[in-house]
Amino acid sequence: MTNNLENYENTNRPASGLLSKILIGGAFVAAMGGWWYQSTQVASVRQELVQTQQKVDQVQSQMQTSVSVAKAETNEAIARMNEQVGKARSEALAGSRSAQTAAKRQAGEVLTKLSAKDQELTQQIGQIKDDYTQKSVQVDEALSGIKGDVGNVKTEVSSTRTELSATVADLKRAFGDMGLMSGLIATNSTELAALKQLGEREYFEFTLPKTGGAQRVGDIQLALKRVDTKRNRFTLDVMADDKRVEKKDRTINEPVQFYTSGTRTPYEVVVNEIRKDQVIGYLSVPKIKTMAKR
């Protein structure tokens, strides 16, 4: 058994040594290849680092140049600004002095004008006081005159009232052509004016011609048909409420009476004067109008 093993080892030992050498050589070649590759990569990285450093140095140089230029421009701008500020200060100072001088001059002129204005106002106030005194005297005189006029007016009013009372006392009542007692009758313009002042009725004066047809008087129409100057008589037509009524052979100052719709008291026509071709008189109308009861 021992001999067999030795024979086997002696038979196989040369082959095993050759294989080992081959493996060692392959490993060496592989190691050399790896070392060469790594060396190549390291050299490439170093070259890239050198290029990068060069670029960094170039950028730093450019930045330093830019900073230097910017500093120089900034310093120049600051110098210009300082120069402008100094110039502005000088101009402002000069302007301030000029303004102060002008202000003093204007203040003097204003004071002079104010003094003159004060004197003028003082004179005006004095004049106003004088005018006021004169006006007061004139007003007092005017008031005295007005008081006198008022007294005269009161006297005249009192006299007028007395005359009116006397005139009214002279007025008479009469029966109209309808047999009704009339109101107060005026026979002339003075008595008619007194009736108007009493204000109990409304009055409409008229001058009615014989020719010319119907004439509106108040809210009615009158038409003169005949006159008789010798007997102081007349005939006329009365048109009211779309009706025509003939008032025949009436006499002077006689109340010619008639009703209209809406009145309890009759209307009255009074003729004060009869002429050849016309009559003159007035229409008397009640102020309060209600439905007439007949």
Side-chain angles (χ1 to χ4, degrees), residues 176-178 228 231-236 246-257 269 271 274:
D177 65 335
M178 294 180 64
D228 186 347
R231 299 170 58 203
N232 281 331
R233 291 183 176 274
F234 62 92
T235 299
L236 55 77
E246 183 184 50
K247 297 292 185 176
K248 186 177 181 180
D249 241 4
R250 302 295 96 193
T251 62
I252 194 169
N253 296 326
E254 176 189 6
V256 177
Q257 299 173 330
V269 173
V271 173
I274 299 176

Side-chain angles (χ1 to χ4, degrees), residues 52-223:
T52 301
Q53 185 64 40
Q54 289 177 351
K55 291 181 179 179
V56 170
D57 294 341
Q58 184 179 2
V59 170
Q60 287 180 348
S61 177
Q62 291 176 352
M63 288 179 63
Q64 290 177 355
T65 302
S66 298
V67 170
S68 299
V69 172
K71 286 183 178 180
E73 292 177 351
T74 300
N75 292 332
E76 183 179 357
I78 291 173
R80 286 198 303 269
M81 289 178 62
N82 289 332
E83 182 180 358
Q84 292 176 357
V85 169
K87 185 177 179 180
R89 285 180 178 175
S90 299
E91 292 176 352
L93 182 60
S96 177
R97 290 174 180 173
S98 177
Q100 289 177 358
T101 302
K104 289 180 180 179
R105 183 176 65 255
Q106 291 178 356
E109 293 175 354
V110 170
L111 288 175
T112 302
K113 291 180 180 179
L114 287 176
S115 179
K117 193 66 175 178
D118 182 64
Q119 293 179 359
E120 181 181 354
L121 289 174
T122 301
Q123 294 176 355
Q124 290 179 356
I125 291 172
Q127 183 64 40
I128 290 172
K129 288 181 178 179
D130 294 339
D131 293 342
Y132 176 76
T133 302
Q134 293 179 0
K135 291 293 184 183
S136 297
V137 173
Q138 294 175 358
V139 168
D140 291 338
E141 294 176 352
L143 287 175
S144 298
I146 291 172
K147 289 179 180 178
D149 293 339
V150 170
N152 294 333
V153 169
K154 287 182 178 179
T155 302
E156 292 177 359
V157 169
S158 177
S159 177
T160 301
R161 286 179 177 175
T162 301
E163 294 176 357
L164 176 62
S165 298
T167 302
V168 171
D170 292 337
L171 295 176
K172 297 179 174 59
R173 297 178 183 272
F175 282 99
D177 65 335
M178 294 180 64
L180 301 174
M181 179 61 70
S182 71
L184 296 174
I185 299 301
T187 60
N188 53 53
S189 59
T190 301
E191 293 177 351
L192 182 59
L195 288 178
K196 289 181 178 179
Q197 290 188 26
L198 288 178
E200 295 178 354
R201 293 168 70 92
E202 293 181 311
Y203 297 90
F204 302 90
E205 297 180 69
F206 62 80
T207 297
L208 195 63
K210 185 177 178 180
T211 59
Q215 175 179 310
R216 177 167 291 279
V217 180
D219 58 349
I220 66 168
Q221 289 184 335
L222 299 176

